[in-house]
Amino acid sequence: MTNQTAKQTLVSAAAACLAATEPDTKVALTRQVSARWAAGEIAPGAPADWHPLQTSGRPARPRLVSARELPKRKLNNPAGLASLVHAVAHIEFNAINLAWDAVQRFTQMPTAYQADWVKVAAEEAEHFVLMRDRLQALGYDYGDLPAHDGLWDMAHRTAGDVLERMALVPRVLEARGLDVTPGMIERLRQSGDHDTADRLEIILRDEVGHVAIGSRWFHHLCQERGLEPRATSLAMIRLHLHGQVRCPLNRADRLRAGFDGAELDDLEGLCAGGRRPAQSQLT
């Protein structure tokens, strides 16, 4: 490449990662693009007349079903543990796509926004590898079990507005992981599965940062548009999620991830019609 040759843009590189169908390819491309971006080998921005991809690349398996069709995950048997690990691996695979879609779809956003989501994509790829490796050690592989498509369904529903995307994907769906993962870790340690628990500890630590990135850009967009963040967040939840929030909330990690106490009070007020249950069940 000569100095006169135009660099690949980050948006086109992100789209290539998003379009990759095989997990190994998607992970390899994500690592490559992240490294090239850090080295200054990829230019910020998008090609002229860019049209974002509308679908994400994914393998033929797993078979996608509704969340109601998935079995309850019991950790007291190998099949139940594999089902739990597979479910987390599937979430992380979708999270790679969501991060790259945040780059290639919302091209009007600043370079700092693009850089944040490159970081998220790279970390989500490593999370997927962590869980897939564990799944293989259990005698399974990604795709062997059914999964649901709730994360990517929300990506479609928020494709028209980056504010909606930041409000609902990182700050609702991904933040739910902050709520349930500590309980999963505790149950795994009680059962003696420190390997899976250690991997989830890494994911939980990083996901606090990912939700914080979503919070930062949500507040940036609210300020830019002259919107009050708390009211806007609640309006988005009512519009897209029928005002439903699952509890209990992990307030400590959510505070670290950019929520404030008043907002968490609002969210807890939406739980179970205003009731604040003391415990949640993993499904």
Side-chain angles (χ1 to χ4, degrees):
M1 177 180 290
T2 66
N3 289 337
Q4 288 74 33
T5 304
K7 290 181 180 179
Q8 182 183 25
T9 67
L10 180 59
V11 165
S12 59
C17 294
L18 179 64
T21 57
E22 293 306 312
D24 287 341
T25 304
K26 194 179 293 287
V27 168
L29 277 175
T30 295
R31 287 169 169 167
Q32 180 187 88
V33 170
S34 174
R36 291 178 60 214
W37 170 255
E41 297 172 3
I42 297 177
D49 301 320
W50 175 253
H51 297 286
L53 301 184
Q54 299 305 314
T55 58
S56 62
R58 62 179 62 204
R61 299 187 312 145
R63 180 173 62 90
L64 298 178
V65 300
S66 73
R68 288 187 296 272
E69 295 179 67
L70 293 174
K72 301 292 183 182
R73 296 192 283 272
K74 306 292 185 182
L75 302 184
N76 57 1
N77 63 77
L81 175 60
S83 179
L84 173 64
V85 174
H86 188 278
V88 178
H90 181 66
I91 289 169
E92 301 304 329
F93 184 84
N94 274 281
I96 304 169
N97 284 335
L98 285 163
W100 286 128
D101 189 62
V103 175
Q104 69 99 34
R105 183 170 301 281
F106 303 112
T107 57
Q108 77 279 17
M109 295 296 287
T111 300
Y113 165 93
Q114 295 183 326
D116 276 345
W117 291 104
V118 172
K119 177 180 185 293
V120 172
E123 291 180 350
E124 302 291 17
E126 299 312 316
H127 296 170
F128 173 74
V129 170
L130 279 172
M131 300 314 293
R132 188 184 188 189
D133 285 351
R134 181 64 182 133
L135 190 62
Q136 290 171 337
L138 295 170
Y140 295 79
D141 199 359
Y142 178 58
D144 287 351
L145 301 172
H148 73 83
D149 204 27
L151 277 173
W152 193 252
D153 176 66
M154 184 59 76
H156 277 296
R157 290 163 62 183
T158 59
D161 188 351
V162 64
L163 176 65
E164 291 188 351
R165 176 68 63 86
M166 295 298 105
L168 294 168
V169 173
R171 301 189 84 244
V172 174
L173 299 188
E174 293 186 82
R176 184 63 186 152
L178 306 186
D179 302 332
V180 301
T181 303
M184 293 163 58
I185 292 169
E186 181 180 0
R187 289 171 60 196
L188 287 163
R189 294 209 184 281
Q190 289 174 349
S191 71
D193 186 356
H194 297 290
D195 190 344
T196 306
D198 289 346
R199 294 165 193 255
L200 288 177
E201 291 275 13
I202 294 169
I203 291 173
L204 178 61
R205 178 200 67 203
D206 291 345
E207 292 297 340
V208 171
H210 300 174
V211 177
I213 286 170
S215 291
R216 180 162 64 252
W217 289 106
F218 171 72
H219 284 276
H220 169 89
L221 289 158
C222 284
Q223 183 177 25
E224 190 174 75
R225 300 184 190 187
L227 300 172
E228 199 284 313
R230 279 176 61 195
T232 301
S233 177
L234 289 174
M236 297 289 183
I237 292 170
R238 292 189 178 105
L239 176 64
H240 290 280
L241 297 170
H242 309 292
Q244 297 176 359
V245 173
R246 297 179 67 186
C247 280
L249 306 181
N250 177 353
R251 290 182 70 103
D253 280 339
R254 280 180 177 255
L255 288 169
R256 283 189 281 272
F259 292 81
D260 63 34
E263 184 178 13
L264 294 177
D265 290 343
D266 289 341
L267 294 177
E268 287 179 334
L270 297 176
C271 294
R275 298 187 301 276
R276 300 183 184 182
Q279 294 181 332
S280 66
Q281 293 181 340
L282 299 181
T283 58

